[in-house]
Amino acid sequence: MKKLFLICCLFVGLTTAGFSQPRSGPPSDPVQKAKGLQKELKLTDDQTSKIAGIYKESAQQFDKIKAADNGNTNKMLVDVGPLRKATIKKIKSVLTASQSAKYDALLKENKNASLNGGWSDGWG
């Protein structure tokens, strides 16, 4: 009986510890997002700072959309579409041709991951 009780306590303890770990998801800080792209696409420091500015501007516009739509996710999804496209276009204008091709592959990979239950940062 003691062994069964200890096994149950161990199970509950491990389960609690597992759920208490922070979940790592996409970075929400524009600078961190740009640094993530810097690693993936081998960006220069100048490109990284420009992309961080683009992400910051987009985040501000997203916050305005979120406030205007009062948290209505269906309306937000519709309203964020043009912002996402504009953000991607601005980022591509900073990239070289080979970086742009890699960026397209990342966008496709993130889109497939989000369709399959994975996460996507919403900006590509």
Side-chain angles (χ1 to χ4, degrees), residues 7 13 21 26-27 48 52 60 70 74-75 87 89 104 110 115:
I7 290 172
Q21 299 298 316
T48 304
Q60 291 170 346
N70 297 317
N74 291 331
K75 188 158 177 20
T87 301
K89 185 176 180 180
D104 286 337
N110 282 341
L115 291 176

Side-chain angles (χ1 to χ4, degrees), residues 33-118:
K33 288 170 85 172
K35 286 185 179 184
L37 271 185
Q38 183 179 32
K39 288 179 185 177
E40 293 283 337
L41 304 177
K42 296 178 178 40
L43 303 176
T44 65
D45 290 338
D46 184 49
Q47 286 175 311
T48 304
S49 65
K50 288 178 182 178
I51 290 174
I54 292 168
Y55 276 141
K56 185 176 180 181
E57 178 186 331
S58 294
Q60 291 170 346
Q61 291 176 351
F62 176 77
D63 289 340
K64 289 178 185 176
I65 290 171
K66 188 175 176 181
D69 293 343
N70 297 317
N72 181 338
T73 53
N74 291 331
K75 188 158 177 20
M76 284 173 42
L77 284 174
V78 171
D79 293 344
V80 168
L83 174 61
R84 182 177 187 278
K85 287 179 183 175
T87 301
I88 291 170
K89 185 176 180 180
K90 288 178 187 176
I91 289 172
K92 283 185 168 189
S93 72
V94 174
L95 303 176
T96 65
S98 64
Q99 290 170 334
S100 184
K102 288 179 185 177
Y103 183 63
D104 286 337
L106 284 174
L107 291 175
K108 186 176 182 181
E109 183 180 304
N110 282 341
K111 183 176 181 181
N112 289 338
S114 66
L115 291 176
N116 295 322

